[in-house]
Amino acid sequence: MENLKSLYEEQGFVIAESVFADDSVCSLKSHCKGLGEDRYSGVKVFTAQNLSDTLKAFCCNLKLVQMVKLILGEPTIEFLSVKTVFKDAETTYASPWHQDYPYWGGATHKLSCWIALDRAKIANGCLRIIPKSHTQNYNHAKADPAKFENRVPEESLVGMNHMNVELEPGDVLFFHDRLLHASHPNTIGLDRWCLISTYRISSIVDNSHIDANTWKQP
């Protein structure tokens, strides 16, 4: 646990295995499916103002929150949102390379937790990341705002080392908002559900694009 912060600062991400137990992950996936599915993008976003009690319990989970605080090196953090993201036999798209920072900006860099609700493998669309890419901003091209508005052209990443992030249910990828990431397409039709919750340090004036009232302490 002690080296999470140093690994995160060096690589722009850190992976923690079995943060959540199998039974809780299974019930969480069922709950997320019951919230409805956006078949166009595969993504639904929930802020603190419209969280269900079940989602709130996971985003405020003591073990998860303590790990976020440890990685950020701060005793007080704030919660922005959680996204349900899925791929299956019908929604199979690959997401393009991008950084999250352009979506919210600000003086502090945010941390997101990619919580695997299914086994995430290359064949069903796991994430791809570029370690150490969190040290700079990359130019993003504009695209369909309903489906990854900001994206980094593939040709600008030639020669950079890509890493596939294959996870088991309950594993969590903690990643920096400037870490370049994308995902593989789902080529076998098996479910690949995840939750992505986002946090920031609350002790620094941020001035992000996001309304200050949206952020809440977990």
Side-chain angles (χ1 to χ4, degrees), residues 59-78:
C59 296
C60 298
N61 175 273
L62 181 61
K63 183 177 181 180
L64 183 71
V65 169
Q66 290 298 333
M67 294 178 77
V68 171
K69 290 179 178 180
L70 178 63
I71 291 168
L72 292 177
E74 287 288 331
T76 56
I77 60 172
E78 291 179 324

Side-chain angles (χ1 to χ4, degrees), residues 118-167:
D118 289 306
R119 180 173 290 174
K121 300 295 181 182
I122 294 173
N124 69 336
C126 73
L127 280 190
R128 299 188 290 162
I129 62 174
I130 299 181
K132 301 185 179 181
S133 59
H134 65 300
T135 58
Q136 69 180 80
N137 293 325
Y138 289 81
N139 292 325
H140 287 67
K142 293 294 183 181
D144 183 349
K147 213 170 188 181
F148 293 97
E149 179 180 5
N150 299 303
R151 55 185 68 196
V152 177
E154 291 268 358
E155 55 268 22
S156 66
L157 306 178
V158 174
M160 300 183 75
N161 293 322
H162 304 172
M163 172 182 165
N164 296 314
V165 184
E166 295 190 306
L167 301 176

Side-chain angles (χ1 to χ4, degrees), residues 92-123:
T92 63
Y93 68 92
S95 60
W97 288 106
H98 65 285
Q99 295 173 310
D100 289 341
Y101 181 73
Y103 287 102
W104 42 61
T108 66
H109 288 290
K110 288 68 179 172
L111 178 151
S112 291
C113 307
W114 202 101
I115 305 167
L117 304 184
D118 289 306
R119 180 173 290 174
K121 300 295 181 182
I122 294 173

